[in-house]
Amino acid sequence: MTSTNSYDLSLPVKGRCFVTAGQAASKIKRTLETFNLPPKLVRCAAICAYEAEMNIVTHACRGQVGLRVTEKAIRIVAEDEGPGIQDVDLAMKEGYSTASQEIREMGFGAGMGLPNIKRCADELIIDTYPNKGTRVEIIIHLQTNGG
Amino acid sequence: MLLNELIQIPELKFTVKAGHEQLDRAIEGAYASDLLSHVMARAREGNIWVTIQAHQNIVAVATLLNLAGIVIAGGIEPQADTLHKAEEEGVPIISTPLPAFQVIGRLYALGIGAEADHGQTELAQS
């Protein structure tokens, strides 16, 4: 890949569908594994993609997860049509979750999604609009992390 | 230790339910939790994961983290779609009638996971 090249992928995510949940993140991980990147960064990107995808599945009606790989960074963008995040600061706190009891019993909704992403990402940008949706942009630098 | 050595230890009462072809994997440590995000944050590649979750999303977690396999404890039977997905993805699923606490204790006594570092720092302090 040259500096002007980039690889793009966009994957739809169904809200409330636990049958297809995780497929977008798996596809992103498999794709990244073909780029000969440091395994540690692939792991980070896989965690980010999974948590972003599961946020769409557990909270939104529908959405998509996009991947862009350039020479400099892995960029994952998750966009959804959903309720939005009422209080982003609270959502960033480990253990805080608005997921239903049913979803928690499946082991989701531990209130660790966004904190997990923050821990793995170099940059995290959240734009959220009440009753419209949320856009989460995650950037993992390739050049400062030698893996 | 390899997975296929582990499943032969009688006191673990392990039964392989899926991923028979992947039992030559080496087990490098273990992790236990029923919260999927805890597993995503802290389990490491090559770990064996002990849980009582039996739905198909556990397979995605194991695949994303390159886990050695999943042990479903407490006599809980994995759902059919979980086994189907595990076969597709090549993830060993093992069930045992032992409660999770006993499985974890016995694995630990075998030296599995005793030296694990499950700290949360992902990217180097950059």
Side-chain angles (χ1 to χ4, degrees):
Chain A
M1 217 173 346
T2 69
S3 57
T4 52
N5 278 351
S6 69
Y7 177 88
D8 288 278
L9 186 66
S10 181
L11 302 156
V13 178
K14 284 188 203 167
R16 299 273 158 178
C17 180
F18 289 92
V19 175
T20 54
Q23 283 183 359
S26 295
K27 172 79 178 156
I28 284 173
K29 181 196 170 220
R30 282 197 299 271
T31 302
L32 290 173
E33 281 171 339
T34 66
F35 284 112
N36 198 26
L37 299 167
K40 189 172 154 186
L41 297 190
V42 175
R43 174 187 159 91
C44 284
I47 292 171
C48 289
Y50 176 79
E51 296 292 5
E53 181 182 0
M54 292 317 301
N55 277 345
I56 297 174
V57 174
T58 51
H59 296 290
C61 309
R62 66 185 71 81
Q64 58 184 30
V65 180
L67 169 72
R68 170 169 281 196
V69 188
T70 66
E71 201 177 49
K72 291 181 178 171
I74 301 167
R75 184 164 152 272
I76 294 163
V77 177
E79 291 173 290
D80 70 50
E81 292 169 39
I85 303 169
Q86 278 205 329
D87 186 330
V88 174
D89 289 340
L90 214 46
M92 291 306 299
K93 282 196 180 149
E94 199 160 310
Y96 177 82
S97 174
T98 57
S100 68
Q101 187 61 28
E102 184 193 3
I103 283 170
R104 285 170 198 242
E105 281 170 8
M106 290 174 75
F108 301 108
M112 286 184 66
L114 290 174
N116 269 358
I117 292 173
K118 192 175 182 194
R119 197 158 36 239
C120 291
D122 288 306
E123 295 176 50
L124 170 60
I125 302 152
I126 301 170
D127 295 309
T128 186
Y129 306 94
N131 301 317
K132 285 183 86 176
T134 300
R135 181 182 186 277
V136 175
E137 181 173 355
I138 298 149
I139 297 170
I140 297 168
H141 298 153
L142 295 179
Q143 291 172 335
T144 52
N145 295 293
Chain B
M1 186 184 286
L2 302 179
L3 261 180
N4 54 21
E5 294 172 315
L6 195 69
I7 59 167
Q8 286 167 28
I9 296 173
E11 63 259 36
L12 291 170
K13 299 182 179 175
F14 279 178
T15 305
V16 180
K17 298 283 188 175
H20 288 83
E21 315 260 301
Q22 284 78 30
L23 297 176
D24 55 349
R25 286 184 186 167
I27 298 163
E28 292 166 25
Y31 193 72
S33 177
D34 300 319
L35 296 178
L36 306 189
S37 283
H38 271 261
V39 181
M40 286 304 290
R42 293 178 180 150
R44 297 283 174 248
E45 182 166 356
N47 280 182
I48 188 163
W49 169 26
V50 182
T51 182
I52 55 164
Q53 297 291 359
H55 58 79
Q56 62 176 296
N57 295 100
I58 60 175
V59 177
V61 171
T63 306
L64 286 164
L65 297 176
N66 298 330
L67 301 182
I70 305 169
V71 176
I72 301 175
I76 294 166
E77 281 300 312
Q79 296 163 7
D81 52 10
T82 305
L83 297 179
H84 180 68
K85 194 154 192 174
E87 291 293 357
E88 266 180 12
E89 298 283 342
V91 175
I93 302 256
I94 295 158
S95 72
T96 174
L98 295 178
F101 185 83
Q102 288 191 26
V103 178
I104 295 159
R106 289 174 197 196
L107 289 174
Y108 196 89
L110 290 164
I112 294 169
E115 294 167 6
D117 170 16
H118 291 287
Q120 293 188 330
T121 307
E122 287 300 339
L123 294 174
Q125 283 74 38
S126 55

